[in-house]
Amino acid sequence: MPPTPDVPHPARIAVVGAGPRGTSFLERLLAVIEEARDAGTGPSAPVVDIVVLDPHAPGPGRVWRTDQSPLLLMNTPSFFPTAAAAGTPGLRASSAGQTFDQWRMSYPDRAGDLDRTDYPPRAVYGLYLSDLYWEVTRALEASGAVGTITWERTEVECLEPRPDGGVRLGLQDGRTLEADAVVLGLGHVPARLNREQQALRSSAAELGLDYRGPNLPAEVDWDAVPAGEDLLVRGMGLNFFDAMAQLTLGRGGRFVDSGDGPGRALRYEPSGREPVMHPASRRGVCYLPKAELETFVPHAVSLKYLVPEEVDRLQDEHGTLDFMVHLWPLIHRDVVRAYYFTMARTRPEVLGGAERAGEFLAGLVGQFEAAGRGEPVTAHHAQELLHTYQPGMPFLDIRALARPFERQVFDSGAEYQEEVVDFLAGVCAEAAAGEDSPLMVAIGTLHAARLEVKRLVAERRITDASRRRDVSGWFEVLVEGLASGPPLLRVEQLLALARAGLVRFVGPDPQFEADAGRSLFTVSSPQVGTDEAALDVHHGRWMVEAMMPANRVQQSSSPLVASLLKDGTAVPYAVEDEEGEVLPGRGFDVTGRPYRLKDAQGRVHERVFVLGLQLASVQWGTAIAAEAGQDPDGRARTLGDADAAARAVWDLLGR
């Protein structure tokens, strides 16, 4: 009998993390394999096996689990998100990938009656991700290039590069797994509490109080909070609105149409089982609502100053850019221009009528040009022009809008409560006006500029010092608070709860403490109350941090992340501040795209690739999903990253 010829064993790809990033990698790998097959260069026999490692269900992973409450909504409408490259310019579509909106229309029995502008429950997006994962894996197995695809319901606890170039993975159950390439798509991982949070948790244990640290909203036991209890809440971003929904709608309460229009659109009918929420944040108010729009960025938005040609010119002249010196003046011009052009279009009477509004706009643009593109236009100069046409009208200060009560002091909590309700009611009216709101178009312009800044950060065209001082220091906070808020419905619900006495706002720059004498948590704002003795103090036995665990690798309590740093297999990206001090960044040190991991000696792990949140030092906004139909180097960057990793892995193993 002739000897059986040796058949090479397929190489093994390990995908660590099976949420959206891992699923996108598999979808892009399928596209690469199908491209090779169509070009006649695909393999005639399986060349790779794939193992997917995640303790959570593949596709939705931990964040998008399908069994979570339907009250927990996405922060983007149905038309926005995708984990597949269907319709993405410059990327080949795979045979199995759909955007969420395409899936919604294809599977109405699973998606429910969602419209394209509705904000879907996270559990429904999880169903999309689950379907996408299984459709992609079936197509990979049928491609002829992949032998087996298996999902291991386990956590990877360590990673060790082998001398031969492969990688050894240590699993939670003590087993080891050998791989020829590893893709890390870890997503949100647990993090240690900071010092203040640790102190509050320790005090709670000593005093018999209940403290809940940062966590995914779906993993918090909201039912444990007793009815009628005073609940102190730190954070008024997206996690706060999740808590609000669970503690009201989730307790049997009802929001009913009041018939009173935006800002007073809802009235709350309590069930009697709600706690009383005392929310607090540095800005003193919640994230502002998103405008009612048919698109993610208003149609009226067109950047005129922050444009590629001007950015290129500045970089040619100055080298790597300083955000505050080079970019913010351009962004500021664009925001101001959008605000007043929309005002002239929709509310010309505010500027003295159509003719005078046109004169004002001509003067404003002329002032911009006279100042020169590289110099800021000060509020003082624009205010002088504005006073000519509308004396007494304040000039738009977009940065001050993020902290609307920064320069105010309130005699009592009741006065502050009334001021916040009035402010948010006005913003709701603007959000309901959509494209016809000068404020919402200005915020949309700020958001469009943010997307350009994200690209510049990823391309490393902004200095590390400026990224730390400006982009992370204040611009991120500004944009998050103004442009990354919840749907309008959620802020209308918040106002209804405030009027029903179930939400009591604390004030800016809150100070949380554990009062040992009274065995209570307390929180107060230095701006609410006439003096220290009369500060309006909120207190309760329960406190929750309405925020996600910190996305910082050095603070991570993930066994894998901790072991990578301990062994020197990975290291935080080094960030140099304006004084030249080298500081650890939020994410891993990696190469440029396709983001191979670097070790403590600066050596590159050629077969270990990083996707998603742990790229926080070289990208900005890593938790945001890809936008369907957009540029893979811009608004759909996560798909571009996944495609680059898939092509690099295929070049290593598939040829």
Side-chain angles (χ1 to χ4, degrees), residues 457-476:
V457 167
E459 294 172 359
R460 304 190 183 186
R461 299 175 70 180
I462 301 175
T463 67
D464 286 346
S466 182
R467 276 196 59 200
R468 180 181 178 86
R469 181 188 66 241
D470 301 318
V471 178
S472 298
W474 63 266
F475 185 65
E476 182 174 9

Side-chain angles (χ1 to χ4, degrees), residues 210-260:
D210 199 296
Y211 172 81
R212 305 295 170 101
N215 204 348
L216 273 67
E219 296 181 3
V220 177
D221 181 10
W222 299 110
D223 291 339
V225 182
E229 193 79 25
D230 288 297
L231 174 65
L232 309 189
V233 184
R234 175 154 46 191
M236 296 179 70
L238 303 177
N239 282 32
F240 164 69
F241 287 101
D242 291 333
M244 184 189 80
Q246 292 291 83
L247 294 169
T248 55
L249 293 168
R251 297 284 180 98
R254 295 176 63 242
F255 292 97
V256 297
D257 189 348
S258 68
D260 290 337

Side-chain angles (χ1 to χ4, degrees), residues 2-254:
T4 302
D6 290 336
V7 178
H9 191 278
R12 176 182 285 154
I13 303 169
V15 180
V16 183
R21 301 297 184 267
T23 300
S24 289
F25 168 79
L26 294 174
E27 191 269 337
R28 291 292 75 217
L29 183 63
L30 172 63
V32 171
I33 289 171
E34 290 175 339
E35 182 179 66
R37 179 198 62 201
D38 292 350
T41 59
S44 57
V47 294
V48 295
D49 290 332
I50 301 172
V51 59
V52 176
L53 302 124
D54 198 314
H56 304 280
R62 180 185 176 200
V63 172
W64 305 100
R65 45 190 270 198
T66 57
D67 62 347
Q68 64 188 294
S69 167
L71 297 175
L72 303 178
L73 302 182
M74 294 187 72
N75 190 38
T76 52
S78 296
F79 64 75
F80 178 90
T82 185
T88 302
L91 296 185
R92 176 192 171 105
S94 74
S95 62
Q98 288 185 308
T99 69
F100 176 76
D101 206 33
Q102 291 170 334
W103 174 87
R104 172 189 66 82
M105 292 183 286
S106 299
Y107 300 97
D109 56 324
R110 291 173 69 74
D113 58 355
L114 288 171
D115 192 6
R116 68 180 301 275
T117 57
D118 290 336
Y119 288 73
R122 288 182 203 140
V124 174
Y125 193 65
L127 291 174
Y128 157 72
L129 292 169
S130 179
D131 285 359
L132 177 62
Y133 173 86
W134 292 111
E135 289 175 14
V136 166
T137 52
R138 284 193 294 269
L140 282 167
E141 288 178 328
S143 69
V146 177
T148 62
I149 302 178
T150 57
W151 165 43
E152 295 270 358
R153 189 188 285 269
T154 188
E155 188 168 359
V156 177
E157 295 193 333
C158 61
L159 181 156
E160 177 188 358
R162 300 193 316 244
D164 64 0
V167 183
R168 178 175 293 113
L169 302 174
L171 308 184
Q172 193 174 33
D173 58 9
R175 292 182 296 135
T176 60
L177 179 75
E178 305 292 331
D180 299 283
V182 175
V183 177
L184 299 177
L186 303 181
H188 288 283
V189 295
R192 297 186 302 277
L193 302 180
N194 62 32
R195 289 182 181 177
E196 183 189 3
Q197 292 165 347
Q198 289 173 8
L200 288 167
R201 183 178 64 179
S202 297
S203 295
E206 293 171 4
L207 301 174
L209 306 177
D210 199 296
Y211 172 81
R212 305 295 170 101
N215 204 348
L216 273 67
E219 296 181 3
V220 177
D221 181 10
W222 299 110
D223 291 339
V225 182
E229 193 79 25
D230 288 297
L231 174 65
L232 309 189
V233 184
R234 175 154 46 191
M236 296 179 70
L238 303 177
N239 282 32
F240 164 69
F241 287 101
D242 291 333
M244 184 189 80
Q246 292 291 83
L247 294 169
T248 55
L249 293 168
R251 297 284 180 98
R254 295 176 63 242

Side-chain angles (χ1 to χ4, degrees), residues 355-369:
E355 183 176 347
R356 286 179 64 79
E359 294 172 359
F360 168 76
L361 295 178
L364 184 69
V365 172
Q367 184 184 79
F368 285 172
E369 299 302 332

